[in-house]
Amino acid sequence: QEKLYRVYERSIGKEVFEVVRRVPSEEGQVRLFLMTPPEYVCVVRKEGELSLVVPLTSYLQLAITNKYPPLIRWKGFRLVPLPFWVYAHEELLQKYSVPVFQLEGLDTIREYVKSARTKGIGKWREKFIKKVAQRFKDLNLSSLVYEVIKEEAT
């Protein structure tokens, strides 16, 4: 687990790339954020211009919490949800991510995120989940601030 975590940590860059052709998000859509390394997210709920997204990862060994996450299979990829969600404003979703495929059965993912616990799951798993959460911190904060500013303007 330590080696896998170190590989992930070394791969992280500061680059975030803008999408040329922007596509609106939909509930159930899995999108690929164009950052280094790219990160998958699943749109689990839309509330106007604000979406609730759950990050997905292919680092299966580092994503196990107090329970096994639901496995998502797509074209040879295996992804699992991480045990947290992030708010993403529609404009930011379109600007920095592209749709990849559509998922059914979002209740399984929602339930997993609500019930999963990350304390006591092992040092490297805890570090991995915190590291991924840090990568989405700016998206979450920017989206919420944008929504507050928009509400105050109306």
Side-chain angles (χ1 to χ4, degrees):
Q1 288 179 353
E2 179 181 1
K3 286 180 183 179
L4 192 55
Y5 174 79
R6 298 279 183 220
V7 166
Y8 176 76
E9 190 176 46
R10 281 191 303 272
S11 71
I12 295 174
K14 295 188 185 301
E15 300 85 13
V16 180
F17 303 97
E18 282 192 36
V19 174
V20 175
R21 187 175 155 265
R22 298 182 180 176
V23 178
S25 67
E26 299 174 15
E27 209 168 279
Q29 196 176 63
V30 173
R31 297 181 71 95
L32 184 64
F33 261 91
L34 302 178
M35 51 187 11
T36 308
E39 298 278 2
Y40 291 92
V41 297
C42 178
V43 179
V44 294
R45 189 170 67 223
K46 290 187 60 82
E47 297 172 2
E49 292 294 304
L50 208 55
S51 293
L52 195 61
V53 301
V54 173
L56 306 174
T57 186
S58 60
Y59 287 84
L60 306 181
Q61 293 176 351
L62 293 173
I64 297 169
T65 61
N66 63 324
K67 49 175 67 175
Y68 284 95
L71 184 63
I72 300 162
R73 295 173 194 257
W74 177 75
K75 292 189 176 185
F77 285 97
R78 296 182 319 159
L79 302 167
V80 293
L82 289 169
F84 63 92
W85 35 56
V86 176
Y87 285 100
H89 193 273
E90 180 64 24
E91 188 175 320
L92 297 175
L93 273 176
Q94 288 185 34
K95 188 174 183 176
Y96 299 112
S97 72
V98 294
V100 183
F101 63 96
Q102 192 73 25
L103 260 185
E104 301 295 325
L106 296 177
D107 289 340
T108 307
I109 293 173
R110 287 186 197 111
E111 286 305 312
Y112 172 74
V113 174
K114 283 181 190 176
S115 63
R117 300 289 169 256
T118 58
K119 295 291 182 201
I121 60 171
K123 174 183 176 180
W124 299 108
R125 288 178 177 161
E126 288 178 23
K127 285 179 76 130
F128 174 74
I129 291 168
K130 285 179 186 173
K131 180 63 80 177
V132 177
Q134 284 176 341
R135 295 195 75 203
F136 284 99
K137 177 180 63 175
D138 290 341
L139 172 69
N140 193 51
L141 183 60
S142 299
S143 297
L144 293 174
V145 167
Y146 185 91
E147 198 63 20
V148 168
I149 290 170
K150 188 179 86 174
E151 288 297 318
E152 288 178 354
T154 56

Short mmCIF file of all heavy atoms in Angstrom, two decimals, residues 17-38:
data_model
loop_
_atom_site.label_atom_id
_atom_site.label_comp_id
_atom_site.label_asym_id
_atom_site.label_seq_id
_atom_site.Cartn_x
_atom_site.Cartn_y
_atom_site.Cartn_z
N PHE A 17 -6.36 21.41 -17.07
CA PHE A 17 -6.53 21.80 -18.46
C PHE A 17 -7.98 22.13 -18.77
O PHE A 17 -8.89 21.45 -18.30
CB PHE A 17 -6.04 20.67 -19.38
CG PHE A 17 -4.62 20.29 -19.12
CD1 PHE A 17 -4.31 19.20 -18.31
CD2 PHE A 17 -3.58 21.03 -19.64
CE1 PHE A 17 -3.00 18.85 -18.03
CE2 PHE A 17 -2.26 20.70 -19.38
CZ PHE A 17 -1.97 19.60 -18.58
N GLU A 18 -8.16 23.16 -19.59
CA GLU A 18 -9.50 23.55 -20.00
C GLU A 18 -9.97 22.69 -21.16
O GLU A 18 -9.17 22.31 -22.03
CB GLU A 18 -9.54 25.02 -20.41
CG GLU A 18 -9.57 25.95 -19.23
CD GLU A 18 -9.89 27.38 -19.63
OE1 GLU A 18 -10.72 27.59 -20.55
OE2 GLU A 18 -9.31 28.28 -19.01
N VAL A 19 -11.26 22.43 -21.19
CA VAL A 19 -11.89 21.65 -22.24
C VAL A 19 -12.24 22.58 -23.40
O VAL A 19 -12.71 23.69 -23.18
CB VAL A 19 -13.17 20.98 -21.70
CG1 VAL A 19 -13.94 20.28 -22.79
CG2 VAL A 19 -12.82 20.03 -20.57
N VAL A 20 -12.01 22.13 -24.61
CA VAL A 20 -12.32 22.94 -25.78
C VAL A 20 -13.84 22.89 -26.06
O VAL A 20 -14.49 23.91 -26.19
CB VAL A 20 -11.53 22.45 -27.02
CG1 VAL A 20 -11.94 23.21 -28.26
CG2 VAL A 20 -10.04 22.59 -26.76
N ARG A 21 -14.38 21.69 -26.13
CA ARG A 21 -15.81 21.51 -26.42
C ARG A 21 -16.53 21.15 -25.11
O ARG A 21 -16.38 20.05 -24.60
CB ARG A 21 -16.00 20.40 -27.46
CG ARG A 21 -17.42 20.29 -27.92
CD ARG A 21 -17.56 19.25 -29.05
NE ARG A 21 -18.90 18.76 -29.06
CZ ARG A 21 -19.32 17.65 -28.45
NH1 ARG A 21 -18.46 16.90 -27.81
NH2 ARG A 21 -20.56 17.27 -28.50
N ARG A 22 -17.27 22.09 -24.61
CA ARG A 22 -17.93 21.90 -23.30
C ARG A 22 -19.27 21.21 -23.44
O ARG A 22 -20.07 21.53 -24.32
CB ARG A 22 -18.08 23.24 -22.60
CG ARG A 22 -16.70 23.84 -22.36
CD ARG A 22 -16.74 25.12 -21.65
NE ARG A 22 -15.36 25.59 -21.49
CZ ARG A 22 -15.03 26.73 -20.97
NH1 ARG A 22 -15.96 27.54 -20.52
NH2 ARG A 22 -13.78 27.07 -20.86
N VAL A 23 -19.49 20.23 -22.54
CA VAL A 23 -20.71 19.43 -22.56
C VAL A 23 -21.36 19.52 -21.19
O VAL A 23 -20.69 19.31 -20.17
CB VAL A 23 -20.37 17.95 -22.90
CG1 VAL A 23 -21.62 17.09 -22.86
CG2 VAL A 23 -19.66 17.85 -24.23
N PRO A 24 -22.67 19.82 -21.13
CA PRO A 24 -23.36 19.90 -19.84
C PRO A 24 -23.31 18.58 -19.09
O PRO A 24 -23.26 17.51 -19.69
CB PRO A 24 -24.80 20.25 -20.22
CG PRO A 24 -24.73 20.79 -21.61
CD PRO A 24 -23.54 20.14 -22.25
N SER A 25 -23.33 18.68 -17.77
CA SER A 25 -23.32 17.47 -16.94
C SER A 25 -24.74 16.96 -16.76
O SER A 25 -25.70 17.70 -16.91
CB SER A 25 -22.68 17.76 -15.58
OG SER A 25 -23.50 18.64 -14.84
N GLU A 26 -24.83 15.67 -16.45
CA GLU A 26 -26.12 15.03 -16.18
C GLU A 26 -25.95 14.14 -14.96
O GLU A 26 -24.86 13.63 -14.70
CB GLU A 26 -26.54 14.14 -17.35
CG GLU A 26 -26.73 14.84 -18.66
CD GLU A 26 -27.00 13.85 -19.79
OE1 GLU A 26 -27.32 12.67 -19.51
OE2 GLU A 26 -26.88 14.26 -20.95
N GLU A 27 -27.04 13.91 -14.26
CA GLU A 27 -27.01 12.99 -13.12
C GLU A 27 -26.66 11.60 -13.64
O GLU A 27 -27.18 11.15 -14.65
CB GLU A 27 -28.38 12.98 -12.43
CG GLU A 27 -28.30 12.66 -10.98
CD GLU A 27 -29.60 12.93 -10.25
OE1 GLU A 27 -29.84 14.10 -9.91
OE2 GLU A 27 -30.34 11.96 -10.03
N GLY A 28 -25.74 10.93 -12.95
CA GLY A 28 -25.31 9.60 -13.34
C GLY A 28 -24.12 9.60 -14.29
O GLY A 28 -23.56 8.54 -14.59
N GLN A 29 -23.73 10.77 -14.73
CA GLN A 29 -22.62 10.87 -15.67
C GLN A 29 -21.28 10.73 -14.95
O GLN A 29 -21.07 11.31 -13.90
CB GLN A 29 -22.70 12.25 -16.33
CG GLN A 29 -21.89 12.44 -17.56
CD GLN A 29 -22.18 13.83 -18.14
OE1 GLN A 29 -21.88 14.82 -17.49
NE2 GLN A 29 -22.74 13.88 -19.34
N VAL A 30 -20.39 9.93 -15.51
CA VAL A 30 -19.02 9.86 -15.02
C VAL A 30 -18.21 10.78 -15.92
O VAL A 30 -18.27 10.69 -17.15
CB VAL A 30 -18.47 8.42 -15.05
CG1 VAL A 30 -16.99 8.40 -14.70
CG2 VAL A 30 -19.26 7.54 -14.09
N ARG A 31 -17.49 11.70 -15.28
CA ARG A 31 -16.70 12.69 -16.01
C ARG A 31 -15.23 12.55 -15.63
O ARG A 31 -14.91 12.11 -14.54
CB ARG A 31 -17.19 14.10 -15.69
CG ARG A 31 -18.64 14.33 -16.13
CD ARG A 31 -19.11 15.73 -15.84
NE ARG A 31 -18.49 16.72 -16.70
CZ ARG A 31 -19.02 17.20 -17.83
NH1 ARG A 31 -20.18 16.76 -18.25
NH2 ARG A 31 -18.38 18.12 -18.53
N LEU A 32 -14.37 12.94 -16.55
CA LEU A 32 -12.94 12.89 -16.33
C LEU A 32 -12.43 14.32 -16.20
O LEU A 32 -12.56 15.12 -17.12
CB LEU A 32 -12.25 12.20 -17.51
CG LEU A 32 -10.74 11.99 -17.39
CD1 LEU A 32 -10.42 11.06 -16.22
CD2 LEU A 32 -10.19 11.42 -18.69
N PHE A 33 -11.90 14.64 -15.01
CA PHE A 33 -11.30 15.95 -14.78
C PHE A 33 -9.91 15.94 -15.38
O PHE A 33 -9.10 15.05 -15.11
CB PHE A 33 -11.22 16.27 -13.28
CG PHE A 33 -12.32 17.16 -12.83
CD1 PHE A 33 -13.49 16.62 -12.37
CD2 PHE A 33 -12.20 18.55 -12.92
CE1 PHE A 33 -14.53 17.43 -11.97
CE2 PHE A 33 -13.23 19.37 -12.53
CZ PHE A 33 -14.41 18.82 -12.05
N LEU A 34 -9.62 16.96 -16.17
CA LEU A 34 -8.36 17.02 -16.88
C LEU A 34 -7.31 17.71 -16.03
O LEU A 34 -6.97 18.87 -16.21
CB LEU A 34 -8.55 17.73 -18.22
CG LEU A 34 -9.59 17.09 -19.13
CD1 LEU A 34 -9.75 17.88 -20.41
CD2 LEU A 34 -9.24 15.64 -19.42
N MET A 35 -6.82 16.96 -15.05
CA MET A 35 -5.75 17.42 -14.16
C MET A 35 -4.66 16.37 -14.22
O MET A 35 -4.80 15.36 -14.90
CB MET A 35 -6.30 17.62 -12.74
CG MET A 35 -7.06 16.45 -12.21
SD MET A 35 -7.96 16.55 -10.63
CE MET A 35 -8.03 18.16 -10.11
N THR A 36 -3.57 16.59 -13.54
CA THR A 36 -2.46 15.63 -13.57
C THR A 36 -2.32 14.95 -12.21
O THR A 36 -2.02 15.64 -11.25
CB THR A 36 -1.14 16.35 -13.91
OG1 THR A 36 -1.33 17.11 -15.08
CG2 THR A 36 -0.02 15.37 -14.12
N PRO A 37 -2.57 13.64 -12.11
CA PRO A 37 -3.17 12.77 -13.11
C PRO A 37 -4.67 13.03 -13.22
O PRO A 37 -5.26 13.60 -12.30
CB PRO A 37 -2.91 11.36 -12.56
CG PRO A 37 -2.93 11.54 -11.09
CD PRO A 37 -2.32 12.91 -10.85
N PRO A 38 -5.30 12.63 -14.33
CA PRO A 38 -6.74 12.83 -14.48
C PRO A 38 -7.50 12.11 -13.37
O PRO A 38 -7.05 11.07 -12.87
CB PRO A 38 -7.06 12.21 -15.84
CG PRO A 38 -5.75 12.14 -16.54
CD PRO A 38 -4.71 11.97 -15.48
#
